[in-house]
Amino acid sequence: MDDLTDPKAALRSYLQRAHDGLVMNLEGLPERELRLPRTPTGTNLLGIVKHVLNCEYGYLGLTFGRPFPTPHELVPLDLFDTDPQADWYATSDETAEGILDLYRRVRAFTDETIDALPLDARGRVPWWPAERAEVTLAHVLIRVIDDTSRHAGQADIIREHIDGAVGLNPEAPNIPDDVDWPAYVAKLTAIADRF
């Protein structure tokens, strides 16, 4: 982990952890499993990544006047007028490999923004109301960390429902390995059933 005494390094480190946690949840699954809606509102693993990469570019690219080299690969803001969920699913023309590659490239692009600007650099979020659209790099970094972490958590739960994969990462899963999980779930169910 980076030197967390440096504020920018600390923010960047937490953003990297959120990125890694999100991508880990897609590893090893076939394309159909990545696309399949898992909630009544259609949430799916590949859609989460597409949403996160578009948000990250918006906050750490557009906000600071930095155009992405291949903008046709991103969801244009005006598409949300006709499809408010446009960044929440992969179209039939997109592949999981392509979206994950785009996510890696957006991450590298936004890392350049973080490297180039001081935390107090000013930008304007194009889709926010004018009275609160002016932000600093620090503000949007915190927002992107929050958003990415939240969506990585969604992906954690979806992945567990797909194949039982759980944990922080394969090397250090941060969950006990000697628990009888069915018994634990039964215990929690019995407690819940009392109410």
Side-chain angles (χ1 to χ4, degrees):
M1 189 170 272
D2 293 318
D3 174 15
L4 299 184
T5 61
D6 172 52
K8 188 189 277 191
L11 291 168
R12 190 171 179 161
S13 177
Y14 280 99
L15 181 56
Q16 183 65 45
R17 286 183 63 187
H19 285 152
D20 293 346
L22 176 56
V23 170
M24 179 189 74
N25 283 297
L26 281 71
E27 292 174 354
L29 291 176
E31 185 106 6
R32 182 178 186 278
E33 294 297 323
L34 297 174
R35 292 173 173 269
L36 196 64
R38 302 293 177 167
T39 69
T41 57
T43 304
N44 62 88
L45 290 171
L46 197 54
I48 291 171
V49 173
K50 185 175 176 180
H51 170 74
V52 168
L53 77 85
N54 278 279
C55 285
E56 184 163 334
Y57 166 68
Y59 283 116
L60 293 168
L62 281 178
T63 295
F64 295 96
R66 297 191 66 238
F68 193 65
T70 54
H72 64 279
E73 294 183 274
L74 301 167
V75 177
L77 290 178
D78 61 353
L79 184 56
F80 292 106
D81 294 336
T82 56
D83 184 357
Q85 294 295 104
D87 66 340
W88 277 101
Y89 62 93
T91 67
S92 59
D93 296 333
E94 296 172 316
T95 65
E97 183 180 326
I99 287 176
L100 287 167
D101 176 64
L102 179 58
Y103 187 42
R104 283 187 287 277
R105 289 183 288 125
V106 165
R107 287 171 55 186
F109 177 84
T110 59
D111 280 347
E112 291 171 9
T113 301
I114 296 166
D115 289 343
L117 300 175
L119 289 176
D120 61 355
R122 299 232 172 251
R124 295 191 75 71
V125 180
W127 59 92
W128 283 9
E131 66 273 8
R132 62 183 186 93
E134 188 171 321
V135 293
T136 63
L137 177 62
H139 178 171
V140 293
L141 263 172
I142 292 167
R143 177 145 188 129
V144 170
I145 292 166
D146 177 60
D147 190 59
T148 304
S149 297
R150 177 174 176 257
H151 294 310
Q154 289 175 310
D156 287 344
I157 292 170
I158 289 172
R159 181 63 187 255
E160 184 175 355
H161 279 279
I162 293 171
D163 65 1
V166 295
L168 183 62
N169 64 58
E171 293 81 35
N174 81 327
I175 59 167
D177 58 5
D178 57 349
V179 173
D180 178 347
W181 292 109
Y184 177 71
V185 170
K187 172 184 162 181
L188 299 183
T189 301
I191 293 170
D193 286 345
R194 293 181 189 155
F195 293 89

